[in-house]
Each structure stands twice: as structure tokens, then as C-alpha cells.
Amino acid sequence: EVQLVESGGGLVQAGGSLRLSCAASGFTFDDYAIGWFRQAPGKEREGIACISIRDGHKYYVDSVKGRFTISSDNAKNTVYLQMNSLKPADTAVYYCAAVDHAYSGSYTPEIYDYWGQGTQVTVSS
């Protein structure tokens, strides 16, 4: 059974940090890239970071570049999203998702094969 399980969300004050985890199972980890998406109330889901498990290439959108860091522990089949200098605008449900490594860096949700259930991140001002 394929599973992506996010954890690490919570409530934090502006300027604070959180680290999200995405634990993967049920598929060949290094055949995929893992992306992090977020969806705020009333807004569309947006991709914010992606890592190719096979070659380690990392991708970020401008709104999180320099504040968020994506990384992977391939021995644990887990991807992390370290989020620093959080802003109220970062408040959203955060999802991880898996896409064929050939599409590393793409943020089109429809091409992603597997999704986690999401974890809430709330940043207070």
C-alpha cells in the first residue's frame, strides 16, 4: 500500500520555525521526486518545493526561497521541509506528494501520483 504521511505541523508565531516530515512507503522511493504543496483557505493548492530523490536536485518557488529548505533521508524514505522565518501568509494545509522523477521541479498537481493527507501550519502575527 502506497502511503505518504506528513507530520510536524502546528501553531507558531511569526518569525518562528517548523520542520515538516513526509514519510513514504509502498513505492520505489528513488524513482520519484517529492514535492511540497500548500493550500490556504479559499486559495488554490500551490507547489512550493520539490526534491529529486535520485539526484538530489532541489527546487523552490520565489515565495519560500531562502526561508524553506527541502531535504531527504533516503535511508528512511523521508523528506523534510524546514521552514524558517515563518509569516502569517504561510498559514495553510501542507501536503507532500510524489511524482515520477522525470517531472522533478514541476508543480502541476495533476501529474503527481501519490498524496499525503496534509498537516496544518498556522502562523500567528
Side-chain angles (χ1 to χ4, degrees):
E1 178 189 8
V2 171
Q3 280 193 314
L4 289 171
V5 180
E6 302 98 336
S7 61
L11 173 64
V12 64
Q13 288 189 330
S17 299
L18 284 174
R19 189 178 80 156
L20 305 183
S21 299
C22 172
S25 61
F27 60 94
T28 304
F29 197 52
D30 62 4
D31 282 348
Y32 286 83
I34 303 295
W36 282 99
F37 291 74
R38 65 186 181 186
Q39 188 165 21
K43 295 189 176 181
E44 292 189 353
R45 190 170 298 191
E46 64 166 339
I48 58 172
C50 185
I51 184 168
S52 169
I53 302 304
R54 184 167 294 187
D55 58 25
H57 284 163
K58 303 176 183 182
Y59 308 84
Y60 301 96
V61 295
D62 287 345
S63 60
V64 306
K65 200 174 294 183
R67 299 189 299 123
F68 292 9
T69 302
I70 191 170
S71 62
S72 69
D73 183 336
N74 294 359
K76 296 182 178 179
N77 281 14
T78 299
V79 169
Y80 304 98
L81 187 68
Q82 177 67 43
M83 305 187 295
N84 298 330
S85 302
L86 283 162
K87 307 173 182 179
D90 295 317
T91 296
V93 178
Y94 283 70
Y95 301 88
C96 64
V99 68
D100 187 283
H101 76 91
Y103 299 105
S104 298
S106 172
Y107 298 118
T108 303
E110 290 77 12
I111 68 172
Y112 278 71
D113 294 316
Y114 310 120
W115 289 83
Q117 81 289 350
T119 186
Q120 177 70 46
V121 171
T122 303
V123 184
S124 64
S125 56

